[in-house]
Amino acid sequence: MSKLQKCYGIIPARYSSTRFPGKPLADILGKPMFWHVYDRARQSAELLDIVLATDDERISAAAEALNVPVVMTRKDHPSGTDRVLEAAELLQVEEDAIVVNIQGDEPTLHPAMLTTLVRPFGSPEVQVSTLAKKIGRAESENPARVNVVFSRSGKG
């Protein structure tokens, strides 16, 4: 699959995490975590553009120093998805564009995962897509694990 006409990746990255403050700036092999996510995402053939969305000047400055496109967002977002929405609005992303929320703490993201994620948008009735894999009962009961429930027909 080649780059989709209007498919954008936005990586939300906030500094103020209760469990790991400054996580997007965590050093991995001499580069901040967000850089590894960005570098892997830009290897995807589907994404026209990728931008880091942050509410923190330290993250913004680090992104600019590494030539990672960055947009500043408000600090009051309850989730990364809300930050992605604001960034898409600030960037004036077309209303019919595909916007991919790329998790900023996934430095081992494989670009092929993004291909799998956007492929369903080839069908006009698809509005949302997410990656999921089958897991066992014990793993599904872990409160730290996000679960997706499918109908018998296979729809999430």
Side-chain angles (χ1 to χ4, degrees):
M1 184 184 260
S2 61
K3 288 191 189 289
L4 295 172
Q5 181 78 17
K6 299 175 184 176
C7 188
Y8 302 92
I10 299 178
I11 304 167
R14 70 184 182 107
Y15 190 91
S16 298
S17 167
T18 54
R19 292 183 307 229
F20 187 173
K23 181 166 50 171
L25 296 174
D27 185 278
I28 301 173
L29 301 173
K31 298 261 173 58
M33 183 183 302
F34 75 77
W35 181 87
H36 293 276
V37 176
Y38 171 79
D39 186 57
R40 288 178 172 266
R42 71 187 179 123
Q43 294 174 40
S44 169
E46 285 69 41
L47 301 177
L48 182 64
D49 200 9
I50 301 141
V51 176
L52 186 74
T54 188
D55 62 350
D56 188 85
E57 290 294 339
R58 293 164 287 196
I59 295 172
S60 179
E64 289 173 1
L66 292 167
N67 296 314
V68 173
V70 62
V71 62
M72 289 296 294
T73 58
R74 298 187 327 264
K75 291 188 180 291
D76 64 345
H77 290 299
S79 73
T81 302
D82 296 291
R83 189 170 315 286
V84 167
L85 175 60
E86 181 190 359
E89 290 169 346
L90 291 170
L91 295 166
Q92 298 180 341
V93 170
E94 302 92 332
E95 182 119 351
D96 62 342
I98 298 165
V99 177
V100 180
N101 179 348
I102 302 170
Q103 298 302 300
D105 60 356
E106 296 284 343
T108 60
L109 169 77
H110 195 287
M113 295 169 76
L114 298 172
T115 298
T116 301
L117 182 68
V118 300
R119 187 175 294 134
F121 291 102
S123 178
E125 68 270 1
V126 172
Q127 297 290 309
V128 177
S129 176
T130 193
L131 293 177
K133 71 174 190 171
K134 193 169 192 162
I135 59 176
R137 182 180 233 21
E139 197 174 1
S140 74
E141 292 172 351
N142 178 346
R145 173 64 93 169
V146 175
N147 289 274
V148 178
V149 177
F150 289 88
S151 69
R152 292 191 192 279
S153 68
K155 293 189 178 200

